Amino acid sequence: GQQLNQSPQSMFIQEGEDVSMNCTSSSIFNTWLWYKQEPGEGPVLLIALYKAGELTSNGRLTAQFGITRKDSFLNISASIPSDVGIYFCAGRSSSNTGKLIFGQGTTLQVKP
Amino acid sequence: EAGVAQSPRYKIIEKRQSVAFWCNPISGHATLYWYQQILGQGPKLLIQFQNNGVVDDSQLPKDRFSAERLKGVDSTLKIQPAKLEDSAVYLCASSPTTTGELFFGEGSRLTVL
């Protein structure tokens, strides 16, 4: 079945540093979504991407839909302590019913 | 606008018992999803509804899991009988369409002893 590989699995950074994480797929996707999940909560949508090559920002967050349509990237600039959480990529291909598949998550810890 | 509502937030049962979770999606959202999230993993789709019809239930363990969405609004997910490996957070999400963005509830955490 379809799989998403998300990396890195975890990151421990200093406040103020920039962060990059990515997600790759074995098949072509037509939608990429990035979510953040905090303990005891459901995932919250950060950025949605619908077009290959698309670059979208949401405050300090920037995400890109890869040209090959098999990958996506999320960058966080000037990290702050409240950025702590688990970041998930999710992809949807055009070959199914709109099923959204999630990566394994990247756990981010920020040291003040 | 009210978000996706789920209940209960927490449930502890013994194996072989049954449990039911309830979800009320965002008003007007035609598509409803149930995901299972095991600790340390990403959410895994169990079932997807479009209005009151099932679109995808290929990963639903149908021998013990069932779900319904009567009248195309609220939905319930039932597990009977529960196994230890069912311990997880059950997330409900809704979307305006099958190709739209998903909005999640806070989840229902199940512990099976």
Side-chain angles (χ1 to χ4, degrees):
Chain A
Q2 293 174 319
Q3 289 188 340
L4 290 183
N5 292 312
Q6 190 171 346
S7 66
Q9 187 173 354
S10 62
M11 303 181 73
F12 191 91
I13 62 170
Q14 195 78 29
E15 181 177 3
E17 290 183 352
D18 296 344
V19 172
S20 291
M21 60 191 78
N22 69 81
C23 207
T24 59
S25 166
S26 56
S27 54
I28 291 174
F29 281 0
N30 62 9
T31 300
W32 285 98
L33 305 176
W34 284 91
Y35 287 86
K36 178 187 178 185
Q37 187 175 30
E38 297 186 26
E41 303 293 328
V44 174
L45 181 67
L46 299 174
I47 293 179
L49 303 161
Y50 294 101
K51 190 176 177 181
E54 182 180 357
L55 185 72
T56 298
S57 293
N58 177 7
R60 293 177 297 105
L61 278 61
T62 301
Q64 185 163 22
F65 194 140
I67 290 293
T68 66
R69 297 174 62 192
K70 291 186 176 183
D71 56 10
S72 181
F73 307 86
L74 176 69
N75 296 316
I76 305 173
S77 62
S79 59
I80 59 178
S82 61
D83 290 334
V84 165
I86 304 177
Y87 291 79
F88 289 100
C89 63
R92 179 186 285 132
S93 75
S94 57
S95 62
N96 60 26
T97 55
K99 177 178 175 179
L100 197 65
I101 299 169
F102 280 77
Q104 310 97 310
T106 295
T107 299
L108 177 64
Q109 294 180 298
V110 180
K111 183 178 180 181
Chain B
E1 181 182 83
V4 176
Q6 289 189 247
S7 67
R9 287 296 311 275
Y10 306 94
K11 190 74 176 178
I12 300 174
I13 62 173
E14 296 194 348
K15 60 183 179 183
R16 290 188 288 274
Q17 287 186 326
S18 63
V19 63
F21 302 111
W22 172 82
C23 173
N24 182 239
I26 293 173
S27 177
H29 281 197
T31 312
L32 185 147
Y33 308 78
W34 283 101
Y35 280 83
Q36 179 192 58
Q37 186 176 26
I38 293 172
L39 187 65
Q41 298 181 18
K44 183 185 86 171
L45 181 68
L46 292 176
I47 189 166
Q48 176 182 342
F49 292 94
Q50 178 69 13
N51 296 310
N52 60 351
V54 175
V55 174
D56 187 329
D57 63 356
S58 57
Q59 296 193 86
L60 186 74
K62 298 180 185 64
D63 57 333
R64 297 183 301 104
F65 286 64
S66 65
E68 60 182 9
R69 190 183 184 196
L70 299 176
K71 300 180 182 179
V73 182
D74 294 7
S75 177
T76 56
L77 175 70
K78 296 179 182 177
I79 308 174
Q80 182 179 11
K83 292 185 175 181
L84 297 177
E85 58 260 37
D86 297 333
S87 294
V89 175
Y90 291 86
L91 294 164
C92 179
S94 70
S95 177
T97 67
T98 56
T99 57
E101 299 151 15
L102 273 66
F103 298 89
F104 285 85
E106 294 181 307
S108 295
R109 179 177 296 276
L110 173 66
T111 302
V112 182
L113 303 175

